[in-house]
Each structure stands twice: as C-alpha cells, then as structure tokens.
Amino acid sequence: SAAYPGNSVGAVVDYVTRMPTQFEAHGKAGFSSQFFNLYNTQTTYNGWESSTSVGNKNGDFAWWLDFSRTDSNGQPLTFATRTVSNGNPGATGTAVSGAVSALNANNAPIYVIAAGTQYHTKQDHVKAKFAYDISPELRLSYLLGWWQNTSEGNPTSYLTNAAGKSVSSGVINIGGASYAAMTGADIPLTRESQVHFMHGLSLKSHTKGEWDWEVAGSLYDYSKDDKRQNAATNTYPAAFTGGAGTLANGAGTGWNNLALRGTWRPQGLSGAHIADFGYQQDNYKLQYLTSNITGNWLSDPAGAGASNIAGQSHINSVYAQDAWRFADKWKTVLGWRYEQWRANGSSTSGVNPAVDYGSRQESYSSPKAALSYQLREDAVVKASLARAVRFPTVSELYGATATPTTQYVNDPYLRPERSVTGELTHEKYWQEDVLRLTYFVENTLDGLYSQSLLSPVNPATTITRVQNVGRVATQGIEAAYNGVDVELKGVDANASLTYTNSVIKENNGFVTTPGDTIGKQQPNIPHWRASALLTYRWSQKLNTSLGARYSSMQYRTLNNSGVNGYAYQGVSPFFVVDARLRYQITKTANEETHLALGIDNLNNYTYWNFHPYPQRTLHAELRVDWK
C-alpha cells in the first residue's frame, strides 16, 4: 500500500483501539514459570504481571487509564566459551572443573564455561487516552504513555577450583590445557534504568461521506536510558560491590512523526472510487554517550568520555492511491509514494576529535499496483506488484563506535534497500471460512546486513560492519486456512504452510573470504515454515486451544557456515507445541471472571536463534471485567 513507508516492506500490523462508550473496568493477574535446563544451568525462572484499567464516556468526553506491572526473571541468553583447539598443553593457569563439552555453530568442539545476561526485570507502564467529540463527525484524541524499566544482568561461572570455589578470572586450565583468562567481557554484570515517554495527538473526521481527513502527530522520547556495566578488568564477585566500569547514556534518543491523511469518495464518477492521499514526516534521533567509571560502576557518576555517537534522519513523504471498482467483478488499486530522506551523524572516541560524517539527501519514488477479479461469488483472484524503499536507520549508519584503529567501523554511506515485490493470490470462501493460496516473488537490491569487507583505507585489513548486500532474490508459495465451526460445531481452525527460497545473487562483502556468500540462503529465512491452531469450545464457559509451530533449517550468517543450529549463536529448526485452557468462572450483567491456564513449548523443545528460546513454560491468568 502506498499509505505505508518503505520500512514496512516485510509486514504491517495496524492496531486500532477503541474508546469506552460507558463505564468499564478490568483487572488481570498473571504468573509464568519456566524450568530451564541447559549446560550447567538447571533452575526455575518465574515471572509475575498484573494490570488494571478503567474508563468511561461522559457526554462528548471519553477517557481510559491503564496501569501494568511486570516482575520477571529470564533465562540466560549468552554463554562464555573456549575453543578446545586453542588450548596450550601444560599446567599453566588454575585447574578447573565444571566446563561443559559442546559443539559450536560450526561444529567445532568447545567448552562452555559461564552463562550470562540472565536478567531480573521490573517494568511499569501507564497509559492514558482521552477523546472529545467536537461534533458528531469530528473527534480530538490524545494519548500519553509512560514506561520505566530496571534490570539486573548477572552471570554465572560454571568453573570451580580444586577447593570447590567459583573461578571467574585469570588463566584457566581444563584437562591439562590452558586457555585465555576469564575477564569481565566473558561474564559481564549490567544494571539498566530507563524511563520513556510517548505522546500522541490526532484530530479526525468520520463522516463516511465524500470527504474524511485526519491530522496525527506522535513523539517518543528516551527521557532516561542508562546502562551500567563492569569493565573487562573487573570480574565478579568483586564487581558485585564496585570497581571500574562504564555508563552508556541514551537520553535524547527518540523520534517524532506527523501524518496528514485524506480520503475522497467521489460521487458521480465511473465506477466506485475510494482515493487516499497524504503527507508524512518522520524524524529519528540517536544519541549515546558512553563514559568510563574508575571508582564504583554501580553508583558513581559518569567520568571521562569513552565514546559519543549521534545521528539524525528525516523522511518527508507524499502518497496517493485509488481503489477503483471499474467493472462488476473487477477492482484495481493504483498508488504512488514519493520519499525524500536526509541523514547526518558524528562519532567521537575518547579524547580524539569528533568524526563528522556529513549530511546526505536522497529521493525515491515507489509505484504500487493491484488487480482483483471475482471468479465466482465464493472465489477471488488477486495480483499485486509494488516497489518499496527502506532507508538505513540512524543506528545502522552511526550506531557503532569509531576508535583510532577502526575509524571506518561506521559506514555513513550505506545505500537504501530497494525491493520489488509481486504476489498472485487465490482465495476461496465457505461461509466464515477462507482458504488462501499465494505465490510471491521479491527482488531486493542493497539489503542491509552485518558482514566483513576489506578496509577502504587499508586493503590489508578486514573490518566488520553493516554493509549492503548487492541482490537477494526470493520466491515462494504459501497456503493458509482460517475456519470457524469447522465440520464439528465449536471447532475453530487456523493453519499455514510456507515454502521460501531466498538466495544471495550479488554481494561485494563477505564473512570469511571474498565470494563466500554468493548462492547462499538469506539468513533467518527457512525453506519451510508452518503453523496450526485448533480451538474447541466445549461449552459457553470452557474452551481449549492447541497450537503448533514448525521451521526447517535456517542460517544466521550470510555464508551459511552455521551448519549446527542447535548451539549457542546458531539458528535451529524447531517444532513447538503450545496449549491453553480458558474457563469462565462467573458471568452476570455487570461482571465476568475468567481463568486461563497454558503451557508454552509443551514438548520442551530446545531450539535456538543465536540465544536459546524458552523451554517448557507454565502460565496462569485471572481476569475480571466490570461494566
């Protein structure tokens, strides 16, 4: 659709929330518990969530308040390792036990020596929505969102010495071979504190007549965004109480958006037309100052600057499209979008002068076209072809830190991704059921991925950063079914099956050696993906659901070197089953109470996407609704 910017080329999720028409209130309390068993971590991680909301409409004024609280312990996400072949035979280092023998994503033998990034997170969220009907056809709305997060990231060493005491620093000796010293980089401690605000304001008409329009603006602000971390030379347990570290301050990062939209339903023209048009402005800002702390990294203020990255991007867009039913069984949508993009940024490392990357400006047009034909009353065929342009984000352009030895770790000259996507779809209907079959193709130029290339300054040096992949060609087919009361009354079914072949056709960058990505699969795109959800309504009070998700082999790197997906930093196939039960405890004219119980990953499948996914997790939720 021309109404959406180019960064929506993958998918669009459009949430439309309602305002109350009478008094209503809701309360919910939930609990989850996961028993996690991987390497030398065997424990249970629990989480709690509670929320309440209340709203009403008084005359022309409607309001809604929502509050929620989450307190959760998550599983470890990263692991410190040593490659077995890198060991030096001898008695150097502290003899340790507890290392776990495993294989890495390339099937090389490794030792897993510690678990990291196990977070204890507390989040609070407040949302307030207000709406005033200036007239029956014109509404003014305002939204305020406040979110705060505090988290503690703690590591766990798997290693112990001969006396049974934990080992977390120094050269280690495993099985008669010494390995590189453990440092704070292997087992980092982190403390995060964040406060973000969001504002939204809109004025919208809803006449459903010949003309309707909307003016909408939003603002998202990182009011506070601090991340503290111990230094590489500061290992725990000493780091739990202080010592050197860093403070990364992201305050000032955020974005703001403005949209002017109109809809025209002309009367008297040939056929039925619905024309949409508009103007959008999107502004993004990145600001991160990282400072050294020499005293107590947990509490001391920022010290000398270690790096300072900053960037801004601006997109101005205009679009127009017309949905035209030009014949009894035919409908077409023709659209066009024009986008002008500007960006600038800078980077500073320590006491070195700032590197100013200068300013850029580029403009692109994106045509869109779709055609549908009603084969029969219960079947339709649709075809579409569109271009979309995704501009590099400020983080992709300027988010890495330049140092005296890697001045070109950023690439401020990244080219936008340009995709041409086509689809051919057949849909068949049976009452409330629909079966869809879609063939799709996509050709993407200058895709954005992190990869290596030879330094433009020193061709003998290889650097790794976000780079453009010349061309990726994708094609596939998808079948999807949505059914209500399938065969047996009370049964709802949803299922999909997708085959995709996405291949890198052109690329100047590489992972290990030049040319090693040509002809490889695009990362994180499996050949096969499937899902199914079956719900049975046993009675008006009780229903149960069973869902399943499947993915075939996929890769994390552009050269597809990760042949072992079932490993840290790998991407694995998976087949996961989820179950849920929902029971209506009470129901009156003014109140409903529901209990829900569920099990995610019922079959306790261990699968990965760089980090391990959650293992079997139990859920319980109690919800009360009043009106």
Side-chain angles (χ1 to χ4, degrees), residues 408-537:
Y408 289 87
V409 72
N410 285 309
D411 184 358
Y413 305 107
L414 289 173
R415 296 179 296 278
E417 283 187 2
R418 302 176 305 285
S419 299
V420 176
T421 301
E423 290 187 2
L424 179 62
T425 295
H426 178 272
E427 290 183 353
K428 167 73 173 175
Y429 301 90
W430 298 271
Q431 297 178 347
E432 297 184 55
D433 305 342
V434 58
L435 174 64
R436 175 177 58 81
L437 187 66
T438 299
Y439 170 73
F440 57 89
V441 295
E442 182 174 273
N443 192 63
T444 300
L445 302 179
D446 291 325
L448 294 166
Y449 289 91
S450 178
Q451 59 178 323
S452 302
L453 77 167
L454 298 176
S455 169
V457 174
N458 182 3
T461 302
T462 298
I463 58 177
T464 301
R465 64 188 184 192
V466 175
Q467 283 299 303
N468 292 111
V469 175
R471 184 168 75 91
V472 180
T474 303
Q475 61 177 331
I477 190 167
E478 179 174 82
Y481 175 77
N482 294 315
V484 179
D485 286 338
V486 180
E487 296 296 334
L488 300 173
K489 290 296 182 179
V491 176
D492 300 340
N494 299 276
S496 68
L497 176 65
T498 307
Y499 172 80
T500 307
N501 188 39
S502 184
V503 179
I504 300 168
K505 297 292 188 178
E506 301 172 13
N507 188 19
N508 292 327
F510 55 89
V511 177
T512 304
T513 59
D516 63 0
T517 68
I518 304 300
K520 305 297 185 180
Q521 290 289 314
Q522 182 179 178
N524 298 308
I525 305 295
H527 280 307
W528 290 98
R529 181 172 288 163
S531 65
L533 177 65
L534 188 68
T535 300
Y536 183 63
R537 298 185 297 276

Side-chain angles (χ1 to χ4, degrees), residues 329-353:
K329 296 183 177 182
W330 292 89
K331 180 181 179 180
T332 184
V333 179
L334 300 176
W336 173 80
R337 187 178 186 90
Y338 175 80
E339 295 168 301
Q340 183 185 79
W341 173 76
R342 293 180 291 115
N344 61 83
S346 63
S347 177
T348 305
S349 175
V351 297
N352 297 290

Side-chain angles (χ1 to χ4, degrees), residues 200-423:
L201 183 67
S202 72
L203 182 62
K204 183 176 183 178
S205 73
H206 46 91
T207 66
K208 301 302 181 183
E210 187 170 356
W211 289 94
D212 270 312
W213 55 270
E214 180 183 13
V215 178
S218 64
L219 169 69
Y220 196 98
D221 176 47
Y222 287 36
S223 178
K224 178 183 179 181
D225 201 279
D226 290 347
K227 180 178 180 179
R228 295 175 177 267
Q229 182 171 323
N230 62 308
T233 55
N234 181 21
T235 58
Y236 83 103
F240 274 112
T241 57
T246 59
L247 170 60
N249 178 9
T253 298
W255 58 86
N256 61 77
N257 314 89
L258 174 66
L260 310 177
R261 306 184 184 99
T263 300
W264 179 39
R265 308 174 187 89
Q267 307 297 314
L269 295 182
S270 174
H273 290 262
I274 300 179
D276 295 298
F277 53 91
Y279 165 80
Q280 291 179 216
Q281 183 181 96
D282 306 287
N283 304 299
Y284 304 92
K285 182 179 180 181
L286 175 71
Q287 183 71 57
Y288 264 95
L289 171 64
T290 301
S291 304
N292 290 313
I293 298 175
T294 57
N296 188 334
W297 71 276
L298 290 163
S299 58
D300 283 358
S307 67
N308 190 6
I309 56 176
Q312 298 183 60
S313 70
H314 314 272
I315 304 176
N316 289 285
S317 311
V318 292
Y319 71 90
Q321 69 179 20
D322 179 32
W324 177 27
R325 190 173 297 279
F326 60 91
D328 182 45
K329 296 183 177 182
W330 292 89
K331 180 181 179 180
T332 184
V333 179
L334 300 176
W336 173 80
R337 187 178 186 90
Y338 175 80
E339 295 168 301
Q340 183 185 79
W341 173 76
R342 293 180 291 115
N344 61 83
S346 63
S347 177
T348 305
S349 175
V351 297
N352 297 290
V355 178
D356 188 347
Y357 297 115
S359 180
R360 301 175 54 188
Q361 179 172 310
E362 298 187 32
S363 301
Y364 289 89
S365 291
S366 298
K368 324 278 184 176
L371 180 67
S372 63
Y373 175 69
Q374 195 79 38
L375 283 171
R376 297 179 301 276
E377 185 177 332
D378 60 354
V380 63
V381 174
K382 303 176 183 179
S384 64
L385 184 66
R387 184 198 200 203
V389 179
R390 183 179 87 78
F391 298 101
T393 66
V394 285
S395 181
E396 289 168 334
L397 288 166
Y398 313 115
T401 302
T403 69
T405 57
T406 58
Q407 294 95 329
Y408 289 87
V409 72
N410 285 309
D411 184 358
Y413 305 107
L414 289 173
R415 296 179 296 278
E417 283 187 2
R418 302 176 305 285
S419 299
V420 176
T421 301
E423 290 187 2

